[in-house]
Amino acid sequence: MSKKALITGLTGQDGSYLAELLLVKGYQVFGLVRRSSTSNLERITHLSGDIQIVAGDLLDQSSLMDVIAESQPDEIYNLASQSYVPLSWTQPALTAEYTALGVSRLLESIRRCKPDAKFYQASSSEVFGQPDESPQTERTAFRPRNPYGVAKAYAHWMSVNYRQKYKLYTSCGITYTHESPRRGIEFVFRKITHAAAQIKLGLANELKLGNLEARRDWCYAKDAVYAMWLMLQQDQPNDYIIASGETHSVKELVECAFNCVSLNWQDYVSVDPAFYRPDEPVQLVGCIDKIKTDIGWQPQHSFEQMVELMVDYDLKKLSNSVI
Ligand code: NAP
């Protein structure tokens, strides 16, 4: 009999890739989707006949209990959250409701309705905030510096506590930034690859950015979701850093993206201090030794491959919309 998986955050970047992966692996996939007055299924339209969409919301305990009781999933992947750091400063309480308390509601629902389900929690490198060591490992202290990071730290420790107290199978993946053509345009990687394509096609003529020297550990989203699945295939739950293990600057990213469209980035890019992130984390880079050694995961896509495939995607998409 095929395994059953429930994904929260199905309509997001990671949820859509994870659903594709699980379908290929023969799972029956249930996706939790909250009500919206307009359709937000763009990332999963191509899967609509293969997934069972179930209505629920991380804000609503009874909907989570109903969904878990009815679908009886073997694996539950919690990818839903308010995931945009700047918004967490303007909506800190709502961010905590989704990203922190939502996980408490989910864990309680699992404990009551399907205690043998394996649970994956999407933790974030933002829990490290301003870390006191670099690269960070699974033992690095959490020092979150924004409401999103604080909420993710709460969710992480609640998952660990339910593992210890109730013996639930809970594993947390501490993911660093990961990107893809399905990434929201507000995130800097996609903003840059999208702008390079727009400028190439004559649809824009400038790109304003913040600190070009800021460095990030960027990974490809398909590689990250593969790690999530692999984590839940282990006999014992555990927490792992999911990252590329290397950093690149925003300037390197800009150069690479504009090279892909044969343009000189200096002709189009300007620095606007308004885009500087006030809480810029220092040297956030993950050490992936533990996940490599324990379960044999490592990224399959390089930084350059990721930039190229995202620029190509936007060139094709924008060309079609121009025609
Ligand atoms: P995303 O694209 O922003 O997707 C977030 C998902 O959460 C969406 O499907 C959204 O649904 C759903 N959601 C939000 N509030 C909800 C609620 N109250 N009830 C039910 N669903 C709700 O995020 P992502 O990039 O796929 O990231 C997946 C997870 O990894 C998130 O938890 C994120 O915080 C974490 N993470 C991501 C990165 C990264 O670089 N991508 C790095 C570290 C950690 P709607 O479509 O209805 O809004």
PDB file of all heavy atoms in Angstrom, residues 9-15 32 34 40 43 56-59 78-83 98 122-125 148 152 175-179 183, ligand 1:
ATOM      1  N   GLY A   9       1.490  24.172   3.725  1.00  0.00           N
ATOM      2  CA  GLY A   9       2.292  25.078   2.893  1.00  0.00           C
ATOM      3  C   GLY A   9       2.436  24.553   1.478  1.00  0.00           C
ATOM      4  O   GLY A   9       3.402  24.862   0.778  1.00  0.00           O
ATOM      5  N   LEU A  10       1.448  23.764   1.042  1.00  0.00           N
ATOM      6  CA  LEU A  10       1.487  23.161  -0.297  1.00  0.00           C
ATOM      7  C   LEU A  10       1.624  24.202  -1.401  1.00  0.00           C
ATOM      8  O   LEU A  10       2.288  23.977  -2.411  1.00  0.00           O
ATOM      9  CB  LEU A  10       0.189  22.355  -0.515  1.00  0.00           C
ATOM     10  CG  LEU A  10       0.014  21.745  -1.896  1.00  0.00           C
ATOM     11  CD1 LEU A  10       0.918  20.531  -2.051  1.00  0.00           C
ATOM     12  CD2 LEU A  10      -1.440  21.352  -2.158  1.00  0.00           C
ATOM     13  N   THR A  11       0.971  25.362  -1.210  1.00  0.00           N
ATOM     14  CA  THR A  11       0.955  26.365  -2.284  1.00  0.00           C
ATOM     15  C   THR A  11       2.255  27.170  -2.353  1.00  0.00           C
ATOM     16  O   THR A  11       2.440  27.972  -3.256  1.00  0.00           O
ATOM     17  CB  THR A  11      -0.221  27.352  -2.082  1.00  0.00           C
ATOM     18  OG1 THR A  11      -0.082  27.922  -0.763  1.00  0.00           O
ATOM     19  CG2 THR A  11      -1.556  26.657  -2.197  1.00  0.00           C
ATOM     20  N   GLY A  12       3.152  26.950  -1.411  1.00  0.00           N
ATOM     21  CA  GLY A  12       4.406  27.699  -1.390  1.00  0.00           C
ATOM     22  C   GLY A  12       5.471  27.053  -2.274  1.00  0.00           C
ATOM     23  O   GLY A  12       5.251  25.998  -2.876  1.00  0.00           O
ATOM     24  N   GLN A  13       6.624  27.683  -2.306  1.00  0.00           N
ATOM     25  CA  GLN A  13       7.731  27.158  -3.126  1.00  0.00           C
ATOM     26  C   GLN A  13       8.073  25.708  -2.752  1.00  0.00           C
ATOM     27  O   GLN A  13       8.040  24.798  -3.587  1.00  0.00           O
ATOM     28  CB  GLN A  13       8.987  28.022  -2.924  1.00  0.00           C
ATOM     29  CG  GLN A  13      10.238  27.390  -3.547  1.00  0.00           C
ATOM     30  CD  GLN A  13      11.524  28.120  -3.202  1.00  0.00           C
ATOM     31  OE1 GLN A  13      12.044  28.840  -4.022  1.00  0.00           O
ATOM     32  NE2 GLN A  13      12.046  27.911  -2.010  1.00  0.00           N
ATOM     33  N   ASP A  14       8.403  25.471  -1.496  1.00  0.00           N
ATOM     34  CA  ASP A  14       8.874  24.146  -1.090  1.00  0.00           C
ATOM     35  C   ASP A  14       7.760  23.111  -1.162  1.00  0.00           C
ATOM     36  O   ASP A  14       7.983  21.956  -1.554  1.00  0.00           O
ATOM     37  CB  ASP A  14       9.408  24.183   0.352  1.00  0.00           C
ATOM     38  CG  ASP A  14      10.687  24.990   0.468  1.00  0.00           C
ATOM     39  OD1 ASP A  14      11.121  25.574  -0.547  1.00  0.00           O
ATOM     40  OD2 ASP A  14      11.256  25.036   1.579  1.00  0.00           O
ATOM     41  N   GLY A  15       6.547  23.522  -0.764  1.00  0.00           N
ATOM     42  CA  GLY A  15       5.427  22.588  -0.768  1.00  0.00           C
ATOM     43  C   GLY A  15       5.182  22.027  -2.154  1.00  0.00           C
ATOM     44  O   GLY A  15       4.927  20.822  -2.324  1.00  0.00           O
ATOM     45  N   LEU A  32      -2.520  20.685   2.677  1.00  0.00           N
ATOM     46  CA  LEU A  32      -3.362  21.597   3.465  1.00  0.00           C
ATOM     47  C   LEU A  32      -3.323  22.984   2.823  1.00  0.00           C
ATOM     48  O   LEU A  32      -2.247  23.547   2.613  1.00  0.00           O
ATOM     49  CB  LEU A  32      -2.825  21.684   4.898  1.00  0.00           C
ATOM     50  CG  LEU A  32      -3.667  22.523   5.850  1.00  0.00           C
ATOM     51  CD1 LEU A  32      -4.581  21.606   6.663  1.00  0.00           C
ATOM     52  CD2 LEU A  32      -2.803  23.324   6.805  1.00  0.00           C
ATOM     53  N   ARG A  34      -5.232  26.897   2.994  1.00  0.00           N
ATOM     54  CA  ARG A  34      -6.181  27.756   3.720  1.00  0.00           C
ATOM     55  C   ARG A  34      -7.064  28.489   2.709  1.00  0.00           C
ATOM     56  O   ARG A  34      -6.664  28.691   1.561  1.00  0.00           O
ATOM     57  CB  ARG A  34      -5.446  28.742   4.619  1.00  0.00           C
ATOM     58  CG  ARG A  34      -4.522  29.678   3.883  1.00  0.00           C
ATOM     59  CD  ARG A  34      -3.854  30.652   4.814  1.00  0.00           C
ATOM     60  NE  ARG A  34      -2.737  31.318   4.143  1.00  0.00           N
ATOM     61  CZ  ARG A  34      -2.165  32.416   4.569  1.00  0.00           C
ATOM     62  NH1 ARG A  34      -2.590  32.982   5.686  1.00  0.00           N
ATOM     63  NH2 ARG A  34      -1.165  32.967   3.922  1.00  0.00           N
ATOM     64  N   ASN A  40      -4.790  30.716  -5.270  1.00  0.00           N
ATOM     65  CA  ASN A  40      -3.341  30.872  -5.081  1.00  0.00           C
ATOM     66  C   ASN A  40      -2.655  29.539  -5.376  1.00  0.00           C
ATOM     67  O   ASN A  40      -1.678  29.176  -4.753  1.00  0.00           O
ATOM     68  CB  ASN A  40      -3.018  31.360  -3.659  1.00  0.00           C
ATOM     69  CG  ASN A  40      -3.546  30.388  -2.613  1.00  0.00           C
ATOM     70  OD1 ASN A  40      -4.194  29.405  -2.951  1.00  0.00           O
ATOM     71  ND2 ASN A  40      -3.256  30.645  -1.361  1.00  0.00           N
ATOM     72  N   ARG A  43       1.411  27.496  -8.239  1.00  0.00           N
ATOM     73  CA  ARG A  43       2.581  26.618  -8.216  1.00  0.00           C
ATOM     74  C   ARG A  43       2.228  25.131  -8.296  1.00  0.00           C
ATOM     75  O   ARG A  43       3.101  24.305  -8.500  1.00  0.00           O
ATOM     76  CB  ARG A  43       3.393  26.861  -6.931  1.00  0.00           C
ATOM     77  CG  ARG A  43       4.049  28.231  -6.850  1.00  0.00           C
ATOM     78  CD  ARG A  43       4.909  28.280  -5.589  1.00  0.00           C
ATOM     79  NE  ARG A  43       5.633  29.512  -5.415  1.00  0.00           N
ATOM     80  CZ  ARG A  43       5.322  30.444  -4.502  1.00  0.00           C
ATOM     81  NH1 ARG A  43       4.283  30.289  -3.710  1.00  0.00           N
ATOM     82  NH2 ARG A  43       6.063  31.532  -4.378  1.00  0.00           N
ATOM     83  N   GLY A  56      -7.735  23.740   5.609  1.00  0.00           N
ATOM     84  CA  GLY A  56      -7.312  23.878   7.001  1.00  0.00           C
ATOM     85  C   GLY A  56      -6.433  25.101   7.156  1.00  0.00           C
ATOM     86  O   GLY A  56      -6.001  25.702   6.166  1.00  0.00           O
ATOM     87  N   ASP A  57      -6.194  25.451   8.406  1.00  0.00           N
ATOM     88  CA  ASP A  57      -5.415  26.663   8.676  1.00  0.00           C
ATOM     89  C   ASP A  57      -4.621  26.444   9.958  1.00  0.00           C
ATOM     90  O   ASP A  57      -5.164  25.911  10.938  1.00  0.00           O
ATOM     91  CB  ASP A  57      -6.393  27.850   8.836  1.00  0.00           C
ATOM     92  CG  ASP A  57      -5.684  29.183   8.705  1.00  0.00           C
ATOM     93  OD1 ASP A  57      -4.701  29.413   9.447  1.00  0.00           O
ATOM     94  OD2 ASP A  57      -6.101  29.995   7.869  1.00  0.00           O
ATOM     95  N   LEU A  58      -3.380  26.866   9.966  1.00  0.00           N
ATOM     96  CA  LEU A  58      -2.555  26.720  11.174  1.00  0.00           C
ATOM     97  C   LEU A  58      -3.116  27.528  12.347  1.00  0.00           C
ATOM     98  O   LEU A  58      -2.726  27.321  13.488  1.00  0.00           O
ATOM     99  CB  LEU A  58      -1.110  27.170  10.908  1.00  0.00           C
ATOM    100  CG  LEU A  58      -0.235  26.278  10.033  1.00  0.00           C
ATOM    101  CD1 LEU A  58       1.192  26.799  10.040  1.00  0.00           C
ATOM    102  CD2 LEU A  58      -0.252  24.841  10.511  1.00  0.00           C
ATOM    103  N   LEU A  59      -4.002  28.464  12.059  1.00  0.00           N
ATOM    104  CA  LEU A  59      -4.608  29.252  13.129  1.00  0.00           C
ATOM    105  C   LEU A  59      -5.765  28.505  13.791  1.00  0.00           C
ATOM    106  O   LEU A  59      -6.269  28.948  14.817  1.00  0.00           O
ATOM    107  CB  LEU A  59      -5.127  30.588  12.572  1.00  0.00           C
ATOM    108  CG  LEU A  59      -4.097  31.524  11.953  1.00  0.00           C
ATOM    109  CD1 LEU A  59      -4.755  32.838  11.546  1.00  0.00           C
ATOM    110  CD2 LEU A  59      -2.961  31.810  12.928  1.00  0.00           C
ATOM    111  N   ASN A  78       5.597  20.066   7.826  1.00  0.00           N
ATOM    112  CA  ASN A  78       5.061  21.397   8.114  1.00  0.00           C
ATOM    113  C   ASN A  78       5.912  22.478   7.473  1.00  0.00           C
ATOM    114  O   ASN A  78       6.922  22.929   8.023  1.00  0.00           O
ATOM    115  CB  ASN A  78       4.972  21.656   9.614  1.00  0.00           C
ATOM    116  CG  ASN A  78       4.402  23.051   9.858  1.00  0.00           C
ATOM    117  OD1 ASN A  78       3.521  23.506   9.099  1.00  0.00           O
ATOM    118  ND2 ASN A  78       4.894  23.740  10.858  1.00  0.00           N
ATOM    119  N   LEU A  79       5.480  22.894   6.288  1.00  0.00           N
ATOM    120  CA  LEU A  79       6.202  23.938   5.548  1.00  0.00           C
ATOM    121  C   LEU A  79       5.460  25.264   5.601  1.00  0.00           C
ATOM    122  O   LEU A  79       5.960  26.273   5.107  1.00  0.00           O
ATOM    123  CB  LEU A  79       6.373  23.499   4.086  1.00  0.00           C
ATOM    124  CG  LEU A  79       6.984  22.109   3.883  1.00  0.00           C
ATOM    125  CD1 LEU A  79       7.156  21.800   2.401  1.00  0.00           C
ATOM    126  CD2 LEU A  79       8.327  21.997   4.592  1.00  0.00           C
ATOM    127  N   ALA A  80       4.281  25.284   6.177  1.00  0.00           N
ATOM    128  CA  ALA A  80       3.494  26.522   6.217  1.00  0.00           C
ATOM    129  C   ALA A  80       4.087  27.486   7.230  1.00  0.00           C
ATOM    130  O   ALA A  80       4.482  27.095   8.330  1.00  0.00           O
ATOM    131  CB  ALA A  80       2.042  26.217   6.589  1.00  0.00           C
ATOM    132  N   SER A  81       4.159  28.728   6.842  1.00  0.00           N
ATOM    133  CA  SER A  81       4.538  29.778   7.797  1.00  0.00           C
ATOM    134  C   SER A  81       4.408  31.139   7.139  1.00  0.00           C
ATOM    135  O   SER A  81       4.262  31.227   5.913  1.00  0.00           O
ATOM    136  CB  SER A  81       5.968  29.566   8.320  1.00  0.00           C
ATOM    137  OG  SER A  81       6.909  30.380   7.690  1.00  0.00           O
ATOM    138  N   GLN A  82       4.428  32.168   7.950  1.00  0.00           N
ATOM    139  CA  GLN A  82       4.634  33.512   7.415  1.00  0.00           C
ATOM    140  C   GLN A  82       6.147  33.570   7.250  1.00  0.00           C
ATOM    141  O   GLN A  82       6.887  33.631   8.220  1.00  0.00           O
ATOM    142  CB  GLN A  82       4.106  34.538   8.415  1.00  0.00           C
ATOM    143  CG  GLN A  82       4.043  35.969   7.933  1.00  0.00           C
ATOM    144  CD  GLN A  82       5.365  36.553   7.476  1.00  0.00           C
ATOM    145  OE1 GLN A  82       5.711  36.480   6.268  1.00  0.00           O
ATOM    146  NE2 GLN A  82       6.130  37.120   8.380  1.00  0.00           N
ATOM    147  N   SER A  83       6.622  33.547   5.996  1.00  0.00           N
ATOM    148  CA  SER A  83       8.038  33.259   5.772  1.00  0.00           C
ATOM    149  C   SER A  83       8.888  34.468   5.385  1.00  0.00           C
ATOM    150  O   SER A  83      10.058  34.303   5.059  1.00  0.00           O
ATOM    151  CB  SER A  83       8.163  32.183   4.681  1.00  0.00           C
ATOM    152  OG  SER A  83       7.744  32.712   3.444  1.00  0.00           O
ATOM    153  N   TYR A  98       1.140  32.165  13.270  1.00  0.00           N
ATOM    154  CA  TYR A  98       1.341  31.174  12.201  1.00  0.00           C
ATOM    155  C   TYR A  98       2.547  30.291  12.503  1.00  0.00           C
ATOM    156  O   TYR A  98       2.488  29.076  12.485  1.00  0.00           O
ATOM    157  CB  TYR A  98       1.668  31.857  10.868  1.00  0.00           C
ATOM    158  CG  TYR A  98       0.581  32.625  10.187  1.00  0.00           C
ATOM    159  CD1 TYR A  98       0.903  33.519   9.169  1.00  0.00           C
ATOM    160  CD2 TYR A  98      -0.755  32.462  10.514  1.00  0.00           C
ATOM    161  CE1 TYR A  98      -0.079  34.237   8.498  1.00  0.00           C
ATOM    162  CE2 TYR A  98      -1.747  33.184   9.849  1.00  0.00           C
ATOM    163  CZ  TYR A  98      -1.391  34.071   8.842  1.00  0.00           C
ATOM    164  OH  TYR A  98      -2.353  34.783   8.181  1.00  0.00           O
ATOM    165  N   ALA A 122       9.890  22.728   9.405  1.00  0.00           N
ATOM    166  CA  ALA A 122      10.773  23.612   8.640  1.00  0.00           C
ATOM    167  C   ALA A 122      11.352  24.672   9.564  1.00  0.00           C
ATOM    168  O   ALA A 122      10.777  25.748   9.750  1.00  0.00           O
ATOM    169  CB  ALA A 122       9.995  24.261   7.501  1.00  0.00           C
ATOM    170  N   SER A 123      12.498  24.373  10.152  1.00  0.00           N
ATOM    171  CA  SER A 123      13.216  25.401  10.921  1.00  0.00           C
ATOM    172  C   SER A 123      14.020  26.257   9.943  1.00  0.00           C
ATOM    173  O   SER A 123      14.070  25.958   8.750  1.00  0.00           O
ATOM    174  CB  SER A 123      14.156  24.750  11.932  1.00  0.00           C
ATOM    175  OG  SER A 123      13.436  24.148  12.972  1.00  0.00           O
ATOM    176  N   SER A 124      14.651  27.286  10.472  1.00  0.00           N
ATOM    177  CA  SER A 124      15.309  28.248   9.582  1.00  0.00           C
ATOM    178  C   SER A 124      16.637  28.706  10.177  1.00  0.00           C
ATOM    179  O   SER A 124      16.779  28.809  11.403  1.00  0.00           O
ATOM    180  CB  SER A 124      14.397  29.467   9.414  1.00  0.00           C
ATOM    181  OG  SER A 124      15.122  30.569   8.923  1.00  0.00           O
ATOM    182  N   SER A 125      17.571  29.042   9.322  1.00  0.00           N
ATOM    183  CA  SER A 125      18.857  29.588   9.787  1.00  0.00           C
ATOM    184  C   SER A 125      18.661  30.907  10.533  1.00  0.00           C
ATOM    185  O   SER A 125      19.557  31.356  11.255  1.00  0.00           O
ATOM    186  CB  SER A 125      19.794  29.809   8.602  1.00  0.00           C
ATOM    187  OG  SER A 125      19.179  30.669   7.668  1.00  0.00           O
ATOM    188  N   TYR A 148      10.439  36.717  13.117  1.00  0.00           N
ATOM    189  CA  TYR A 148      10.361  35.454  12.376  1.00  0.00           C
ATOM    190  C   TYR A 148      11.316  34.428  12.991  1.00  0.00           C
ATOM    191  O   TYR A 148      10.943  33.283  13.249  1.00  0.00           O
ATOM    192  CB  TYR A 148      10.713  35.718  10.905  1.00  0.00           C
ATOM    193  CG  TYR A 148      10.931  34.474  10.068  1.00  0.00           C
ATOM    194  CD1 TYR A 148       9.846  33.770   9.528  1.00  0.00           C
ATOM    195  CD2 TYR A 148      12.217  34.001   9.786  1.00  0.00           C
ATOM    196  CE1 TYR A 148      10.045  32.630   8.750  1.00  0.00           C
ATOM    197  CE2 TYR A 148      12.427  32.869   9.016  1.00  0.00           C
ATOM    198  CZ  TYR A 148      11.331  32.187   8.502  1.00  0.00           C
ATOM    199  OH  TYR A 148      11.543  31.059   7.728  1.00  0.00           O
ATOM    200  N   LYS A 152      10.411  30.879  14.777  1.00  0.00           N
ATOM    201  CA  LYS A 152      10.976  29.606  14.292  1.00  0.00           C
ATOM    202  C   LYS A 152      11.738  28.885  15.416  1.00  0.00           C
ATOM    203  O   LYS A 152      11.746  27.652  15.464  1.00  0.00           O
ATOM    204  CB  LYS A 152      11.916  29.859  13.106  1.00  0.00           C
ATOM    205  CG  LYS A 152      11.192  30.109  11.783  1.00  0.00           C
ATOM    206  CD  LYS A 152      10.570  28.833  11.242  1.00  0.00           C
ATOM    207  CE  LYS A 152       9.957  29.028   9.870  1.00  0.00           C
ATOM    208  NZ  LYS A 152       9.182  27.870   9.401  1.00  0.00           N
ATOM    209  N   THR A 175      16.951  24.982   7.583  1.00  0.00           N
ATOM    210  CA  THR A 175      17.313  25.325   6.203  1.00  0.00           C
ATOM    211  C   THR A 175      17.826  26.757   6.099  1.00  0.00           C
ATOM    212  O   THR A 175      17.299  27.672   6.740  1.00  0.00           O
ATOM    213  CB  THR A 175      16.114  25.161   5.238  1.00  0.00           C
ATOM    214  OG1 THR A 175      14.979  25.761   5.810  1.00  0.00           O
ATOM    215  CG2 THR A 175      15.818  23.714   4.939  1.00  0.00           C
ATOM    216  N   TYR A 176      18.832  26.901   5.273  1.00  0.00           N
ATOM    217  CA  TYR A 176      19.319  28.221   4.892  1.00  0.00           C
ATOM    218  C   TYR A 176      18.536  28.626   3.640  1.00  0.00           C
ATOM    219  O   TYR A 176      17.762  27.833   3.096  1.00  0.00           O
ATOM    220  CB  TYR A 176      20.836  28.165   4.654  1.00  0.00           C
ATOM    221  CG  TYR A 176      21.596  28.107   5.965  1.00  0.00           C
ATOM    222  CD1 TYR A 176      21.394  27.039   6.847  1.00  0.00           C
ATOM    223  CD2 TYR A 176      22.477  29.112   6.341  1.00  0.00           C
ATOM    224  CE1 TYR A 176      22.043  26.987   8.063  1.00  0.00           C
ATOM    225  CE2 TYR A 176      23.140  29.059   7.563  1.00  0.00           C
ATOM    226  CZ  TYR A 176      22.919  28.006   8.418  1.00  0.00           C
ATOM    227  OH  TYR A 176      23.561  27.954   9.634  1.00  0.00           O
ATOM    228  N   THR A 177      18.752  29.868   3.200  1.00  0.00           N
ATOM    229  CA  THR A 177      17.986  30.364   2.061  1.00  0.00           C
ATOM    230  C   THR A 177      18.057  29.399   0.888  1.00  0.00           C
ATOM    231  O   THR A 177      19.150  28.981   0.513  1.00  0.00           O
ATOM    232  CB  THR A 177      18.590  31.714   1.622  1.00  0.00           C
ATOM    233  OG1 THR A 177      18.762  32.498   2.799  1.00  0.00           O
ATOM    234  CG2 THR A 177      17.706  32.431   0.669  1.00  0.00           C
ATOM    235  N   HIS A 178      16.899  29.052   0.344  1.00  0.00           N
ATOM    236  CA  HIS A 178      16.918  28.220  -0.863  1.00  0.00           C
ATOM    237  C   HIS A 178      15.968  28.792  -1.903  1.00  0.00           C
ATOM    238  O   HIS A 178      14.925  29.369  -1.574  1.00  0.00           O
ATOM    239  CB  HIS A 178      16.657  26.750  -0.549  1.00  0.00           C
ATOM    240  CG  HIS A 178      15.539  26.494   0.392  1.00  0.00           C
ATOM    241  ND1 HIS A 178      15.664  26.589   1.768  1.00  0.00           N
ATOM    242  CD2 HIS A 178      14.258  26.158   0.156  1.00  0.00           C
ATOM    243  CE1 HIS A 178      14.506  26.303   2.323  1.00  0.00           C
ATOM    244  NE2 HIS A 178      13.634  26.047   1.375  1.00  0.00           N
ATOM    245  N   GLU A 179      16.360  28.628  -3.126  1.00  0.00           N
ATOM    246  CA  GLU A 179      15.787  29.410  -4.228  1.00  0.00           C
ATOM    247  C   GLU A 179      15.337  28.518  -5.366  1.00  0.00           C
ATOM    248  O   GLU A 179      15.766  27.364  -5.463  1.00  0.00           O
ATOM    249  CB  GLU A 179      16.870  30.361  -4.773  1.00  0.00           C
ATOM    250  CG  GLU A 179      17.539  31.206  -3.730  1.00  0.00           C
ATOM    251  CD  GLU A 179      16.595  32.208  -3.081  1.00  0.00           C
ATOM    252  OE1 GLU A 179      15.719  32.742  -3.778  1.00  0.00           O
ATOM    253  OE2 GLU A 179      16.726  32.447  -1.868  1.00  0.00           O
ATOM    254  N   ARG A 183      10.303  30.838  -6.450  1.00  0.00           N
ATOM    255  CA  ARG A 183      10.526  31.712  -5.298  1.00  0.00           C
ATOM    256  C   ARG A 183       9.779  33.022  -5.504  1.00  0.00           C
ATOM    257  O   ARG A 183       9.716  33.548  -6.628  1.00  0.00           O
ATOM    258  CB  ARG A 183      12.035  31.984  -5.199  1.00  0.00           C
ATOM    259  CG  ARG A 183      12.448  32.801  -4.015  1.00  0.00           C
ATOM    260  CD  ARG A 183      12.313  32.040  -2.729  1.00  0.00           C
ATOM    261  NE  ARG A 183      13.344  32.438  -1.772  1.00  0.00           N
ATOM    262  CZ  ARG A 183      13.185  32.371  -0.470  1.00  0.00           C
ATOM    263  NH1 ARG A 183      12.059  31.931   0.053  1.00  0.00           N
ATOM    264  NH2 ARG A 183      14.179  32.714   0.335  1.00  0.00           N
TER     265      ARG A 183
HETATM  266  P1  NAP B   1       6.437  30.207   1.080  1.00  0.00           P
HETATM  267  O1  NAP B   1       6.652  30.071  -0.377  1.00  0.00           O
HETATM  268  O2  NAP B   1       6.298  31.563   1.668  1.00  0.00           O
HETATM  269  O3  NAP B   1       5.122  29.360   1.460  1.00  0.00           O
HETATM  270  C1  NAP B   1       4.534  29.462   2.717  1.00  0.00           C
HETATM  271  C2  NAP B   1       3.292  28.583   2.724  1.00  0.00           C
HETATM  272  O4  NAP B   1       2.684  28.668   4.018  1.00  0.00           O
HETATM  273  C3  NAP B   1       2.231  28.964   1.714  1.00  0.00           C
HETATM  274  O5  NAP B   1       1.708  27.796   1.124  1.00  0.00           O
HETATM  275  C4  NAP B   1       1.182  29.654   2.579  1.00  0.00           C
HETATM  276  O6  NAP B   1      -0.127  29.566   2.054  1.00  0.00           O
HETATM  277  C5  NAP B   1       1.285  28.805   3.823  1.00  0.00           C
HETATM  278  N1  NAP B   1       0.656  29.424   4.990  1.00  0.00           N
HETATM  279  C6  NAP B   1       0.959  30.616   5.546  1.00  0.00           C
HETATM  280  N2  NAP B   1       0.173  30.830   6.609  1.00  0.00           N
HETATM  281  C7  NAP B   1      -0.638  29.751   6.728  1.00  0.00           C
HETATM  282  C8  NAP B   1      -1.677  29.376   7.628  1.00  0.00           C
HETATM  283  N3  NAP B   1      -2.059  30.186   8.631  1.00  0.00           N
HETATM  284  N4  NAP B   1      -2.292  28.171   7.470  1.00  0.00           N
HETATM  285  C9  NAP B   1      -1.931  27.363   6.462  1.00  0.00           C
HETATM  286  N5  NAP B   1      -0.973  27.662   5.566  1.00  0.00           N
HETATM  287  C10 NAP B   1      -0.339  28.846   5.688  1.00  0.00           C
HETATM  288  O7  NAP B   1       7.585  29.457   1.889  1.00  0.00           O
HETATM  289  P2  NAP B   1       8.721  28.462   1.327  1.00  0.00           P
HETATM  290  O8  NAP B   1       9.793  29.275   0.709  1.00  0.00           O
HETATM  291  O9  NAP B   1       8.072  27.383   0.550  1.00  0.00           O
HETATM  292  O10 NAP B   1       9.305  27.898   2.697  1.00  0.00           O
HETATM  293  C11 NAP B   1       8.771  26.706   3.287  1.00  0.00           C
HETATM  294  C12 NAP B   1       9.079  26.711   4.774  1.00  0.00           C
HETATM  295  O11 NAP B   1      10.495  26.755   4.981  1.00  0.00           O
HETATM  296  C13 NAP B   1       8.514  27.912   5.525  1.00  0.00           C
HETATM  297  O12 NAP B   1       8.137  27.488   6.813  1.00  0.00           O
HETATM  298  C14 NAP B   1       9.687  28.868   5.624  1.00  0.00           C
HETATM  299  O13 NAP B   1       9.568  29.725   6.733  1.00  0.00           O
HETATM  300  C15 NAP B   1      10.828  27.875   5.780  1.00  0.00           C
HETATM  301  N6  NAP B   1      12.125  28.365   5.291  1.00  0.00           N
HETATM  302  C16 NAP B   1      12.230  28.744   3.987  1.00  0.00           C
HETATM  303  C17 NAP B   1      13.471  29.176   3.520  1.00  0.00           C
HETATM  304  C18 NAP B   1      13.635  29.587   2.078  1.00  0.00           C
HETATM  305  O14 NAP B   1      14.698  30.090   1.727  1.00  0.00           O
HETATM  306  N7  NAP B   1      12.665  29.353   1.201  1.00  0.00           N
HETATM  307  C19 NAP B   1      14.576  29.215   4.377  1.00  0.00           C
HETATM  308  C20 NAP B   1      14.420  28.798   5.695  1.00  0.00           C
HETATM  309  C21 NAP B   1      13.181  28.353   6.140  1.00  0.00           C
HETATM  310  P3  NAP B   1      -0.780  30.745   1.127  1.00  0.00           P
HETATM  311  O15 NAP B   1      -0.420  30.380  -0.294  1.00  0.00           O
HETATM  312  O16 NAP B   1      -2.209  30.621   1.438  1.00  0.00           O
HETATM  313  O17 NAP B   1      -0.170  32.048   1.567  1.00  0.00           O
END
